[in-house]
Amino acid sequence: MLRHRVQLSVLASALWLGACNAAPPPTEPTPTPEATRSVRSVESRLSQIELEYEGPTALLEADMEAGNEECDTYNNWCDGTLDVYSFPWTSTQAPTLADAVESVFALRQDDRIPFRFQGNVPFSTMSQQLFFFDALDPHLLTELGNGTEQVQVAYYYASYLVAAGAHDWNHLFIVLFPQSHRVAVFNLVNHET
């Protein structure tokens, strides 16, 4: 019994000494104001590409309008969008598709579509998915590229419920033109009717 009292006494003394010698409670950190965000600025430290919206050329815009009209003809079976960006480049190393992808998703950070990466694919994989936007092949290459560069394509896909028994299927292609310093973002959405 005496042994237990001694142990309790030692424990109580240790707690009391610990309380007396405890460090002062941490002070609340002063909040730092958030940096102003620019639509064209990429917040990631990993990407070296800063995208500037350029928009599709007149021919590409006409291709998109024709494709969307064709979609509407089939009971709004699909919708397509095309965004074109340019980026300044001074590095001696070629821009990478990974940088382009990261920059695109940094700009689309408010987009809640659950895209899953399907891989880096050849341009022919994208051209097989164009449906009513098939005029983009070869116009995308001739309008944005220099005619000799090897474009690089990252493919993302998402399928999600939009209403009871109705899904949307998103095909997102991010196309890097490494010598022309452009990025095209084609998004095709198929609707379940």
Side-chain angles (χ1 to χ4, degrees), residues 1 10 17 30 35 38 55 58 63 70 79-81 95 98 102 104 106 115-116 132 156-157 160 174 176 182 187:
M1 180 77 142
V10 169
L17 284 174
T30 308
S38 168
D63 291 345
E70 193 72 20
D79 288 298
T81 59
E102 185 162 345
V104 167
F115 283 111
R116 291 184 316 273
F132 300 126
Y156 288 82
Y157 175 77
Y160 50 90
I174 300 173
L176 171 66
R182 287 189 170 119
N187 189 21

Side-chain angles (χ1 to χ4, degrees), residues 123-170:
F123 188 81
S124 60
T125 299
M126 177 182 161
S127 64
Q128 293 169 4
Q129 299 285 336
L130 293 176
F131 298 102
F132 300 126
F133 300 91
D134 56 351
L136 289 177
D137 180 12
H139 291 165
L140 200 60
L141 298 174
T142 58
E143 290 288 296
L144 301 180
N146 64 15
T148 60
E149 66 191 310
Q150 291 289 345
V151 298
Q152 301 168 32
V153 182
Y155 176 34
Y156 288 82
Y157 175 77
S159 174
Y160 50 90
L161 196 64
V162 291
H167 280 81
D168 272 359
W169 298 278
N170 271 260

Side-chain angles (χ1 to χ4, degrees), residues 5 15 17 22 24-26 57 70 78 97 101 108 151 153:
R5 282 188 197 161
L15 289 174
L17 284 174
T57 64
E70 193 72 20
C78 58
L97 182 57
V101 165
R108 297 173 63 103
V151 298
V153 182

